Amino acid sequence: MVDLTKWATTREIQAQPQIWASWGQDFAARLSDLSEWVANSGATEVWFCGAGTSAYIGDLLCRALDATSVLPMRSVPSTDLVSAPHVFKRNGVIPLVVSFGRSGNSTESIGTLDLLDAIFPEAPRLNITCNKDSALATRQPASKASQRVIVLPDECHDSGFAMTSSFTTMILTAMAVFGQETPEEFAANMNEISHAAEIVLAQADQLAGKLTIPQRAVFVGSGPLAFVARESALKVMELAAGKIPSIWDSSLGFRHGPKSFVDDQTKVFVFLSNNLHSCRYDEDLTEEVKAQFGEHTVTTLGNSAKADVHIPCKLEDGWMSVLHVLIAQWLGVAWSDQLGFNVDNPFEGQGTLTRVVSGVKLYALEEA
């Protein structure tokens, strides 16, 4: 059996259950104050901002929380906001801008703060980052705009190239701030997820031992799980330095063209929803792909007796999302190692991608 713990990325994946349980207790004490601040912020919308994996958090949260939120929610990737700010500025809209960032220092994170000062000076801001010394953690608004900062535990500031505990813990933190759970319910959810994660990681290791490296990978799901499928596809593809092309879609959307990606050397991972209505569509797609490409093509994951990988958790899909992505994180590490890459830096020597995106030039708004 290959020892994957030589990689920092592996150890950071394994640390997540303990991080979540501990953070569930620590952060619960701050929730009432933060919820009151959000309610009194004067915002008319919530914007979730971030780049890459941090942007996917916003997509997932909108699916998970918008139906029960008092304020409308939008996913506004910082990469979109910085490049086309005129698209988002509308009369009468005061956004509560929630910025996610592992490093908190990416060019787009800085660009977002600059734009808020320039065109949304009154917008309240909530910065969620893993780096206590970053711009997101330390920079104050140029205006008198209200701002709060949440700095996650140091363990979430992944040293590896791939975002793992940073991604999952930012999701769970935002679920707590903008969800309907009480502080006590949040802490209980975090404990339940933590216990389930230990079981899921053990199954992920077994699954990695059984599966051969696929030529292609697909991740699909419904509702919030569609967007953790997006992160899962990215995790496999970037850890394999692009050698395993990977795509994502919703379970119903996958039939509308993207299924052309599948052949008998493709591995399709279907995330089964805990919503019974949605799960019917997940299961139908599973049977269809098996019939067309072979039983070996599909692996299902979820809290279902039918699932190939059982996830023992009954919470709603927003909370469950972090358990599904554990499988992709682990498989990404295992396959990267088998392909001979430096798992902690798959692009070592290439210089084409870096842990913190660099080389992006910011343009002042007047120049545009």
Side-chain angles (χ1 to χ4, degrees), residues 267-314:
K267 197 66 182 176
V268 179
F269 297 88
V270 180
F271 296 159
L272 301 176
S273 174
N274 267 0
N275 179 288
L276 294 179
H277 179 80
S278 298
C279 191
R280 291 190 178 103
Y281 294 103
D282 303 331
E283 291 175 343
D284 286 351
L285 179 67
T286 297
E287 295 308 312
E288 179 179 308
V289 175
K290 283 182 177 180
Q292 292 174 341
F293 298 98
E295 293 272 339
H296 67 283
T297 308
V298 183
T299 297
T300 55
L301 307 87
N303 183 34
S304 165
K306 300 178 182 178
D308 299 310
V309 176
H310 181 239
I311 300 179
C313 183
K314 297 180 180 180

Side-chain angles (χ1 to χ4, degrees), residues 251-268:
S251 293
L252 276 180
F254 186 60
R255 292 185 178 92
H256 292 260
K259 197 171 69 168
S260 60
F261 186 76
V262 180
D263 60 22
D264 61 3
Q265 298 301 310
T266 303
K267 197 66 182 176
V268 179

Side-chain angles (χ1 to χ4, degrees), residues 214-242:
Q215 291 185 4
R216 302 175 179 184
V218 176
F219 294 85
V220 295
S222 300
L225 298 186
F227 293 101
V228 86
R230 186 181 191 182
E231 167 63 9
S232 297
L234 175 65
K235 211 52 41 195
V236 166
M237 188 161 61
E238 68 181 359
L239 283 169

Side-chain angles (χ1 to χ4, degrees), residues 80-123:
D80 293 351
L81 181 62
V82 168
S83 63
H86 55 283
V87 173
F88 298 98
K89 186 169 174 59
R90 305 196 309 283
N91 291 334
V93 172
I94 302 174
L96 166 54
V97 180
V98 185
S99 291
F100 298 102
R102 174 174 66 174
S103 74
N105 285 324
S106 73
T107 308
E108 291 88 356
S109 289
I110 304 297
T112 296
L113 299 181
D114 290 345
L115 278 172
L116 293 181
D117 287 340
I119 62 175
F120 295 106
E122 298 179 0

